[in-house]
Amino acid sequence: MNAETQIKKGRKYDQVIAGARAVFMREGFEGASVDEIARDAGVSKATLYSYFPDKQHLFMEVLKQECVAQSEVDVLFQQPGLSVEEKLCVICKNLITFFLSDFGQEVFRVCVAEATRFPELGQSFYESGPKNLAEKIADFLRSDKAQAVLDIDDAYLAADQLAQLCRSDLLLKVLFGVQTNPSEAEIDRIVDEAVKTFLARYRRVARAAGQSG
Amino acid sequence: MNAETQIKKGRKYDQVIAGARAVFMREGFEGASVDEIARDAGVSKATLYSYFPDKQHLFMEVLKQECVAQSEVDVLFQQPGLSVEEKLCVICKNLITFFLSDFGQEVFRVCVAEATRFPELGQSFYESGPKNLAEKIADFLRSDKAQAVLDIDDAYLAADQLAQLCRSDLLLKVLFGVQTNPSEAEIDRIVDEAVKTFLARYRRVARAAGQSG
DNA sequence: CCTATTGTAAACTACTTAGTTTAGTTCCAG
DNA sequence: CTGGAACTAAACTAAGTAGTTTACAATAGG
C-alpha cells in the first residue's frame, strides 16, 4: 500500500524517465502527450504503462528526481586559500551559473507552472532548491572563518539576501525569455555589486568587538 | 491587415474576457478549455468565437490586458512629509503587497509557464511589471530629495537590488505554494531588513561632499 | 410593429488525448 | 531448444478538444 509500490520494474525504466523528462520540460504537464513521451523515449506506450500507472505518477517521478539532482548542486565547493570575500563571490557566481543553466531554468519553469496542480511538487522543489541553497550559504556564514569577518545575527536571512541580490534582474529576465544568455561581464558585474551591498551591511566593523543591533 | 482588426466587436466583450481571465489564470493555457471559458463567462461558444478568432488570440488579449493593469500599479504613491527612509519602506511594502496579491501571483505564474509558448508575452509581462517597477524606483532614487540622503551611481541597479531584497524568500515561497499569506509582522521584518541592507550600501556618508567609487 | 443585429443552445466535424488490449516478437535462463 | 518474461507496433475505447454550423430567440432602432 505504500506509494512507491505502484511504480518501477525492469530495465527500460531510465529510458522512460529520460524521455518523459525531455518532453515534460519542453511542454509542461498538460502540453506533453504520452505518445510523444513514448516516442521520445524509444519505447512502446504499453511498456511505459507497465512502469507507471498513469501520466501524473510519471510526471511526479520525473520531478522528484529533478529535485534530488537539484539538491545535490553545491554552490560552495571547498576551495582552500580563499578569503571570505572571494568565497562570497564564488558562491554568487555558482548560484547564478546554476539558475542560468538549461536544467535550472526548465525545472524552475515547470515547477512554477504546475505548483497549483501538484502542490507537494512546489514544496519539494522549494526545499531541494532555494531553501537548501540558502541553508548551505547560511552554514558558511555561521562558520568561524566567516564570522571573523562578518557580523551576522540571522544567518539564514543574510544568506537569503545574498542569494536574492545575485538573482537580481537576471532570474526574471531569463524566466520571461527576455535575455537567455548574459555575458560573463554582466554576471561579474552583478556578483560584484551583490557582494558589495552584502558586505556594506554585514562586514564586521574594525573597532568594536560586540555586535550592534 | 493590422493585428487588432481580427478581435473585438459588441457588448459582451468584457464578459468573455472576464471568464477567460478566470479560467486561464486557474488552469493555464493548455489546461483551459474553451467550453469552460464560455460557461464561466455566461456566454455561448458561438458568441465567444464571434469576438475572437481562436483560443490563442483570446489568451493573448487577456494577458495583454493584465500587463496593462500591472503597469498601472504604482509602488510610489506621492505621500508628502515622509523622509527618504520612510519612503523606501513604503515602496518595499507596496511591492511586496503587490506580488502577494492573487492578481500578482496568478499573472506571474501563468506568464512564466507560457513564456516559452508565447515569447512576446514574457517580454511584455517583464516590461510592464518588474522592469516598469524598477524604473519607477530608479526615478525616485535619482530625485534630488533622495540624492540628498543617498549616494547612488547606477540608480537602476540600486532599484533592482532593493526590489530583490524585498522579494526575498517570499516570492519563491508563494510561487511554489509553500506559504500563501505571510503575516504582517513577517512582511515588516523583511521590509525592515531590506531597507537596512540597502541603506548600509547606499546611505551618503556624513562627511565627504563628493561621491566615492 | 417589423426587421436587422446580436445573442443562444446544441449538434456536429475532425482530431487528439489517456489508457487498454491484442497478437506477435525479442531475449535470456535453464 | 524451450518456456516465460519483457517488449513491440498498432488497433482500439471512451472521452475531450477546438472550432463550425444550424435553427431559433431576444433585443433594439427606426
Short mmCIF file of all heavy atoms in Angstrom, two decimals, chain A residues 11-12 42-44 47 51, chain D residues 6-12:
data_model
loop_
_atom_site.label_atom_id
_atom_site.label_comp_id
_atom_site.label_asym_id
_atom_site.label_seq_id
_atom_site.Cartn_x
_atom_site.Cartn_y
_atom_site.Cartn_z
N ARG A 11 14.18 -2.96 -16.92
CA ARG A 11 15.44 -2.36 -17.36
C ARG A 11 15.29 -1.13 -18.27
O ARG A 11 16.30 -0.50 -18.60
CB ARG A 11 16.28 -3.43 -18.06
CG ARG A 11 15.73 -3.92 -19.39
CD ARG A 11 16.63 -5.00 -19.99
NE ARG A 11 16.22 -5.39 -21.31
CZ ARG A 11 15.21 -6.22 -21.58
NH1 ARG A 11 14.50 -6.74 -20.61
NH2 ARG A 11 14.92 -6.52 -22.84
N LYS A 12 14.10 -0.81 -18.73
CA LYS A 12 13.96 0.37 -19.59
C LYS A 12 13.44 1.57 -18.81
O LYS A 12 13.06 2.59 -19.37
CB LYS A 12 13.01 0.05 -20.75
CG LYS A 12 13.48 -1.07 -21.65
CD LYS A 12 13.26 -0.72 -23.11
CE LYS A 12 14.04 -1.67 -23.99
NZ LYS A 12 13.82 -1.38 -25.42
N GLY A 42 11.88 6.16 -27.04
CA GLY A 42 12.19 4.97 -27.83
C GLY A 42 11.63 3.71 -27.19
O GLY A 42 12.30 2.68 -27.08
N VAL A 43 10.38 3.77 -26.80
CA VAL A 43 9.75 2.74 -26.00
C VAL A 43 8.28 2.69 -26.40
O VAL A 43 7.72 3.69 -26.81
CB VAL A 43 9.94 3.11 -24.51
CG1 VAL A 43 8.70 2.82 -23.70
CG2 VAL A 43 11.15 2.41 -23.92
N SER A 44 7.66 1.53 -26.31
CA SER A 44 6.25 1.48 -26.66
C SER A 44 5.39 2.01 -25.52
O SER A 44 5.80 2.01 -24.36
CB SER A 44 5.83 0.06 -26.99
OG SER A 44 5.63 -0.66 -25.80
N THR A 47 4.82 -0.45 -22.77
CA THR A 47 5.96 -0.55 -21.84
C THR A 47 5.90 0.56 -20.80
O THR A 47 6.01 0.32 -19.59
CB THR A 47 7.28 -0.46 -22.61
OG1 THR A 47 7.33 -1.52 -23.56
CG2 THR A 47 8.46 -0.57 -21.67
N TYR A 51 5.41 0.50 -16.45
CA TYR A 51 6.26 1.07 -15.40
C TYR A 51 5.49 2.03 -14.50
O TYR A 51 5.70 2.06 -13.30
CB TYR A 51 7.44 1.82 -16.02
CG TYR A 51 8.50 0.92 -16.60
CD1 TYR A 51 8.49 0.57 -17.94
CD2 TYR A 51 9.51 0.43 -15.79
CE1 TYR A 51 9.47 -0.26 -18.47
CE2 TYR A 51 10.49 -0.40 -16.31
CZ TYR A 51 10.46 -0.75 -17.64
OH TYR A 51 11.43 -1.57 -18.16
P DA D 6 9.01 -9.53 -16.35
OP1 DA D 6 9.74 -8.99 -15.19
OP2 DA D 6 7.53 -9.59 -16.37
"O5'" DA D 6 9.49 -8.74 -17.66
"C5'" DA D 6 10.87 -8.69 -17.96
"C4'" DA D 6 11.04 -8.09 -19.34
"O4'" DA D 6 10.45 -8.97 -20.31
"C3'" DA D 6 10.35 -6.74 -19.49
"O3'" DA D 6 11.28 -5.80 -20.03
"C2'" DA D 6 9.19 -7.00 -20.44
"C1'" DA D 6 9.72 -8.19 -21.25
N9 DA D 6 8.68 -9.05 -21.81
C8 DA D 6 7.60 -9.59 -21.18
N7 DA D 6 6.83 -10.34 -21.94
C5 DA D 6 7.47 -10.27 -23.19
C6 DA D 6 7.15 -10.85 -24.43
N6 DA D 6 6.09 -11.64 -24.64
N1 DA D 6 7.99 -10.58 -25.45
C2 DA D 6 9.06 -9.80 -25.25
N3 DA D 6 9.45 -9.21 -24.11
C4 DA D 6 8.60 -9.49 -23.12
P DC D 7 10.86 -4.28 -20.24
OP1 DC D 7 12.10 -3.49 -20.06
OP2 DC D 7 9.66 -4.01 -19.42
"O5'" DC D 7 10.46 -4.23 -21.78
"C5'" DC D 7 11.42 -4.59 -22.75
"C4'" DC D 7 10.74 -4.77 -24.08
"O4'" DC D 7 9.80 -5.86 -24.02
"C3'" DC D 7 9.90 -3.58 -24.55
"O3'" DC D 7 10.65 -2.78 -25.48
"C2'" DC D 7 8.67 -4.21 -25.21
"C1'" DC D 7 8.94 -5.71 -25.14
N1 DC D 7 7.70 -6.51 -24.92
C2 DC D 7 7.14 -7.19 -26.01
O2 DC D 7 7.68 -7.11 -27.12
N3 DC D 7 6.00 -7.93 -25.83
C4 DC D 7 5.44 -7.98 -24.61
N4 DC D 7 4.33 -8.73 -24.48
C5 DC D 7 5.98 -7.30 -23.49
C6 DC D 7 7.11 -6.58 -23.69
P DT D 8 9.99 -1.48 -26.11
OP1 DT D 8 11.12 -0.65 -26.60
OP2 DT D 8 9.04 -0.95 -25.12
"O5'" DT D 8 9.18 -2.02 -27.35
"C5'" DT D 8 9.87 -2.63 -28.43
"C4'" DT D 8 8.87 -3.10 -29.45
"O4'" DT D 8 8.06 -4.15 -28.85
"C3'" DT D 8 7.86 -2.03 -29.84
"O3'" DT D 8 8.34 -1.32 -30.96
"C2'" DT D 8 6.60 -2.84 -30.17
"C1'" DT D 8 6.83 -4.19 -29.53
N1 DT D 8 5.79 -4.60 -28.54
C2 DT D 8 4.76 -5.39 -28.95
O2 DT D 8 4.63 -5.77 -30.11
N3 DT D 8 3.86 -5.73 -27.98
C4 DT D 8 3.92 -5.37 -26.64
O4 DT D 8 3.05 -5.73 -25.84
C5 DT D 8 5.01 -4.52 -26.28
C7 DT D 8 5.16 -4.05 -24.87
C6 DT D 8 5.90 -4.17 -27.23
P DA D 9 7.70 0.03 -31.38
OP1 DA D 9 8.75 0.82 -32.04
OP2 DA D 9 6.96 0.56 -30.23
"O5'" DA D 9 6.62 -0.39 -32.48
"C5'" DA D 9 6.89 -1.44 -33.40
"C4'" DA D 9 5.60 -1.82 -34.12
"O4'" DA D 9 4.75 -2.57 -33.21
"C3'" DA D 9 4.77 -0.63 -34.59
"O3'" DA D 9 4.19 -0.97 -35.84
"C2'" DA D 9 3.74 -0.45 -33.49
"C1'" DA D 9 3.52 -1.88 -33.02
N9 DA D 9 3.19 -2.02 -31.60
C8 DA D 9 3.71 -1.30 -30.56
N7 DA D 9 3.23 -1.66 -29.39
C5 DA D 9 2.34 -2.68 -29.67
C6 DA D 9 1.50 -3.47 -28.86
N6 DA D 9 1.44 -3.36 -27.53
N1 DA D 9 0.73 -4.39 -29.48
C2 DA D 9 0.80 -4.50 -30.81
N3 DA D 9 1.55 -3.82 -31.68
C4 DA D 9 2.30 -2.91 -31.04
P DA D 10 3.42 0.14 -36.66
OP1 DA D 10 3.72 -0.07 -38.10
OP2 DA D 10 3.64 1.47 -36.05
"O5'" DA D 10 1.90 -0.28 -36.41
"C5'" DA D 10 1.57 -1.65 -36.28
"C4'" DA D 10 0.15 -1.78 -35.77
"O4'" DA D 10 0.13 -1.89 -34.32
"C3'" DA D 10 -0.73 -0.57 -36.10
"O3'" DA D 10 -2.01 -1.04 -36.46
"C2'" DA D 10 -0.78 0.20 -34.79
"C1'" DA D 10 -0.82 -0.98 -33.81
N9 DA D 10 -0.48 -0.64 -32.45
C8 DA D 10 0.39 0.33 -32.00
N7 DA D 10 0.48 0.40 -30.69
C5 DA D 10 -0.38 -0.59 -30.25
C6 DA D 10 -0.72 -1.03 -28.96
N6 DA D 10 -0.23 -0.49 -27.84
N1 DA D 10 -1.61 -2.05 -28.87
C2 DA D 10 -2.12 -2.59 -29.99
N3 DA D 10 -1.85 -2.25 -31.26
C4 DA D 10 -0.97 -1.25 -31.31
P DA D 11 -3.07 -0.10 -37.20
OP1 DA D 11 -2.95 -0.36 -38.65
OP2 DA D 11 -2.93 1.28 -36.69
"O5'" DA D 11 -4.46 -0.70 -36.69
"C5'" DA D 11 -4.55 -2.09 -36.38
"C4'" DA D 11 -5.45 -2.28 -35.18
"O4'" DA D 11 -4.77 -1.91 -33.97
"C3'" DA D 11 -6.73 -1.43 -35.24
"O3'" DA D 11 -7.85 -2.24 -34.92
"C2'" DA D 11 -6.48 -0.35 -34.19
"C1'" DA D 11 -5.61 -1.10 -33.19
N9 DA D 11 -4.78 -0.23 -32.36
C8 DA D 11 -3.93 0.75 -32.77
N7 DA D 11 -3.31 1.36 -31.79
C5 DA D 11 -3.78 0.73 -30.65
C6 DA D 11 -3.52 0.91 -29.28
N6 DA D 11 -2.65 1.83 -28.82
N1 DA D 11 -4.16 0.10 -28.41
C2 DA D 11 -5.02 -0.81 -28.89
N3 DA D 11 -5.34 -1.08 -30.15
C4 DA D 11 -4.68 -0.26 -30.98
P DC D 12 -9.31 -1.68 -35.14
OP1 DC D 12 -10.17 -2.81 -35.55
OP2 DC D 12 -9.23 -0.45 -35.97
"O5'" DC D 12 -9.73 -1.26 -33.66
"C5'" DC D 12 -9.69 -2.24 -32.62
"C4'" DC D 12 -9.84 -1.56 -31.28
"O4'" DC D 12 -8.64 -0.83 -30.97
"C3'" DC D 12 -10.97 -0.52 -31.24
"O3'" DC D 12 -12.05 -1.04 -30.48
"C2'" DC D 12 -10.36 0.69 -30.59
"C1'" DC D 12 -9.00 0.21 -30.09
N1 DC D 12 -7.95 1.26 -30.12
C2 DC D 12 -7.36 1.63 -28.90
O2 DC D 12 -7.74 1.09 -27.86
N3 DC D 12 -6.42 2.61 -28.91
C4 DC D 12 -6.05 3.16 -30.05
N4 DC D 12 -5.10 4.11 -30.00
C5 DC D 12 -6.63 2.79 -31.31
C6 DC D 12 -7.57 1.85 -31.29
#
